[in-house]
Amino acid sequence: MTTSRRAYHISESNPGSDLAGETAAAMAAASIVFRHSRPSYSKLLVAHAEQLFQFADTHRGRYDSSMKVARMYYASESGYNDELLWAAFWLYEATADERYINYAVDNAQNLGGTGWAMTEFSWDVKYAGLQVLATKILLQGRGSNAEVLKQYQSKAEFFMCACLQKNQDKNIGRTSGGLIYKRAWNNMQYVTSASFLMTVYSDYLSKSHQHLQCPTGQVGGNELLNMAKSQVDYILGNNPRGTSYMVGVGSNYPQKIHHRGASIVSYKVDSSFIACRMGYETWFSYGSADPNIHVGAVVGGPDENDNYADDRADFEQSEPATYNNAPLVGVLARMYGLSTTYRSQHSTPAASPLSRLYISHILTSSWNFEGRRYYRYEVNIKNNSPRMLQFLKLTVEGLKGPLWGLSKSGPATFAFPPWLKALAPQKSLVFVYIHQAPKATITVSTSVFD
């Protein structure tokens, strides 16, 4: 690579409280991960986190004022107040030192922690994240001044209710296909970060036996978790286009992403030198699919109408980013452990009774009729067990249309169709349904093998 890779730095005379605070928070959080497996490294992380936090708080200033070139790409629009609180909360989590929780409490108002009610959580705006972290501390009965922590909690609840569209005044928008929609440029970052916060907040509520208080009424933790799951399902292909927005996953995913490593031919294929501008001139407008599949990368995603232009030049939709993927990792880990049914849809089934059934859910077609959008889904249930499946009961939740290929056995439950008495090993049962919304939730209630 011949592109200039100039390094920049912050100092007392060129401060960057947002940059130092963010790094302090990251090191403090990482120290918790390594506390037992690498204790000496964990202590080193804490030591540097504390130094960076002290530097950020003492020498205050925005990093893009010291490094003006950053304004062209990643301007610190929210300033550094949120990063100072973000670092303080994570240092309290890492050290249990009351100084840090006292800092977050004493500066709650003047740094905006209890003043800002947010509808986004991103690489720039940390308020929703630190408000959720404050709520965790409150629900666990830790920290000082519960009254101030409750003020943090009210802002965290505002964000959660906005995600669920249960605020009376300000909610986060959604596409007709059900995707959280914040803005055109790389909307998926707001989807994955919101899903992550909903997932952890759901766990906090469940463990403390609490409910979310929204203007429209009480909400259980499961509703937050289900909302997060619906966003992951959308990303992985359960959407009006049937497109997986994670590259390399599924059979229909973006083929022309805004990424040099993916779109320029490998050195192993062509070892000739490719200058920076030549990359644009030759490969940027290259009409064919990417020569290298960037497996796992989550792109910016569709527009407000669920439309996606598979175009390398449309960077707002086709550019992947680490801040798209990072929150999603946590959500996927939680979803993997959530239920056997979810694992069966998106991974290899585990060796347990329910996971013997592999469930695949595919959008096969969609159309408009009298101003409404309809979708046809095909569900394939495969018996991966070496034994005969003698009885099956499925629960289908959220169904808003007709279903064919099963026998109705209850208000939301279905069994084998009349013509099928059992399902042999490695054989499949297929049924279809028409729906006016993203796919229904299908779970295995009962299965009997012989």
Side-chain angles (χ1 to χ4, degrees):
M1 179 180 284
T2 58
T3 308
S4 172
R5 310 301 285 178
R6 179 180 175 182
Y8 297 84
H9 72 281
I10 55 176
S11 63
E12 294 180 8
S13 56
N14 293 287
S17 299
D18 31 22
L19 179 58
E22 175 64 62
T23 309
M27 288 185 170
S31 74
I32 300 171
V33 176
F34 292 106
R35 182 176 292 160
H36 300 296
S37 61
R38 297 177 62 187
S40 60
Y41 179 54
S42 176
K43 291 177 182 178
L44 182 64
L45 286 169
V46 170
H48 285 310
E50 292 185 309
Q51 291 172 334
L52 283 166
F53 175 72
Q54 183 64 36
F55 175 84
D57 192 39
T58 303
H59 306 286
R60 295 192 180 187
R62 282 173 49 160
Y63 94 107
D64 59 354
S65 294
S66 297
M67 310 174 197
K68 293 182 173 56
V69 67
R71 293 180 187 175
M72 298 170 57
Y73 307 99
Y74 289 97
S76 184
E77 299 291 352
S78 69
Y80 54 77
N81 290 347
D82 51 340
E83 276 85 11
L84 290 176
L85 291 171
W86 184 234
F89 275 116
W90 275 114
L91 277 164
Y92 177 67
E93 287 290 87
T95 65
D97 190 327
E98 292 292 323
R99 290 179 302 159
Y100 295 115
I101 192 66
N102 290 338
Y103 179 97
V105 166
D106 294 342
N107 291 280
Q109 186 61 41
N110 65 299
L111 293 182
T114 55
W116 286 105
M118 305 305 300
T119 57
E120 75 174 70
F121 177 48
S122 66
W123 59 267
D124 181 31
V125 187
K126 305 301 187 312
Y127 282 113
L130 65 90
Q131 289 157 356
V132 167
L133 198 52
T135 303
K136 174 192 176 187
I137 293 168
L138 174 68
L139 294 177
Q140 291 177 343
R142 298 184 291 124
S144 59
N145 200 325
E147 289 306 310
V148 174
L149 291 178
K150 286 179 181 178
Q151 294 176 39
Y152 276 109
Q153 182 186 27
S154 71
K155 302 305 180 186
E157 290 189 338
F158 180 93
F159 179 86
M160 298 300 154
C161 297
C163 289
L164 296 173
Q165 295 192 321
K166 291 182 180 288
N167 275 336
Q168 291 176 338
D169 53 348
K170 192 173 183 182
N171 291 307
I172 301 175
R174 290 189 208 167
T175 68
S176 59
L179 183 71
I180 286 174
Y181 192 82
K182 186 66 183 173
R183 54 178 60 92
W185 192 345
N186 202 346
N187 179 67
M188 208 60 85
Q189 65 176 301
Y190 308 107
V191 177
T192 60
S193 60
S195 297
F196 177 78
L197 288 189
M198 285 189 285
T199 301
V200 295
Y201 204 87
S202 170
D203 282 351
Y204 299 159
L205 290 176
S206 298
K207 290 175 182 177
S208 60
H209 306 289
Q210 300 288 320
H211 289 83
L212 175 63
Q213 302 295 331
C214 291
T216 59
Q218 257 191 11
V219 176
N222 281 342
E223 189 167 344
L224 280 172
L225 201 58
N226 287 337
M227 178 60 186
K229 178 181 179 297
S230 74
Q231 300 305 293
V232 176
D233 286 342
Y234 188 109
I235 292 170
L236 297 180
N238 178 24
N239 53 66
R241 286 177 49 89
T243 298
S244 168
Y245 293 103
M246 179 179 281
V247 179
V249 175
S251 58
N252 179 23
Y253 53 83
Q255 302 292 316
K256 304 172 187 177
I257 68 173
H258 188 87
H259 187 277
R260 276 181 177 256
S263 59
I264 298 179
V265 68
S266 168
Y267 180 84
K268 295 178 181 179
V269 176
D270 183 354
S271 61
S272 60
F273 178 73
I274 300 174
C276 181
R277 290 192 179 279
M278 185 178 172
Y280 278 103
E281 294 168 359
T282 305
W283 295 101
F284 184 66
S285 57
Y286 182 61
S288 297
D290 293 332
N292 311 306
I293 300 176
H294 193 352
V295 177
V298 177
V299 297
D303 64 16
E304 68 275 18
N305 297 312
D306 298 293
N307 295 320
Y308 179 78
D310 194 3
D311 182 358
R312 208 168 282 120
D314 189 350
F315 55 85
E316 291 189 349
Q317 292 193 335
S318 65
E319 184 179 28
T322 54
Y323 44 77
N324 295 0
N325 276 78
L328 187 59
V329 172
V331 185
L332 287 171
R334 182 67 181 91
M335 293 299 166
Y336 184 82
L338 178 64
S339 73
T340 313
T341 303
Y342 193 85
R343 289 200 298 272
S344 71
Q345 292 176 14
H346 297 293
S347 64
T348 302
S352 67
L354 294 186
S355 63
R356 297 172 186 176
L357 300 175
Y358 184 90
I359 302 176
S360 62
H361 209 141
I362 303 171
L363 175 70
T364 57
S365 63
S366 63
W367 61 93
N368 288 318
F369 180 72
E370 295 184 350
R372 293 186 177 181
R373 189 74 175 170
Y374 293 86
Y375 308 97
R376 181 187 184 276
Y377 291 95
E378 180 178 293
V379 182
N380 185 300
I381 301 178
K382 184 179 179 182
N383 181 7
N384 279 331
S385 167
R387 300 162 64 188
M388 186 77 74
L389 177 63
Q390 298 287 359
F391 179 79
L392 175 67
K393 180 184 283 187
L394 296 174
T395 299
V396 182
E397 298 176 287
L399 183 62
K400 299 177 181 178
L403 180 150
W404 298 273
L406 295 175
S407 296
K408 195 171 180 64
S409 59
T413 58
F414 296 83
F416 281 148
W419 60 85
L420 185 65
K421 303 303 180 184
L423 190 63
Q426 300 306 309
K427 296 297 183 181
S428 295
L429 164 65
V430 178
F431 66 92
V432 299
Y433 65 90
I434 306 278
H435 208 40
Q436 295 182 44
K439 72 181 182 184
T441 301
I442 299 173
T443 55
V444 178
S445 301
T446 309
S447 59
V448 178
F449 293 85
D450 184 13

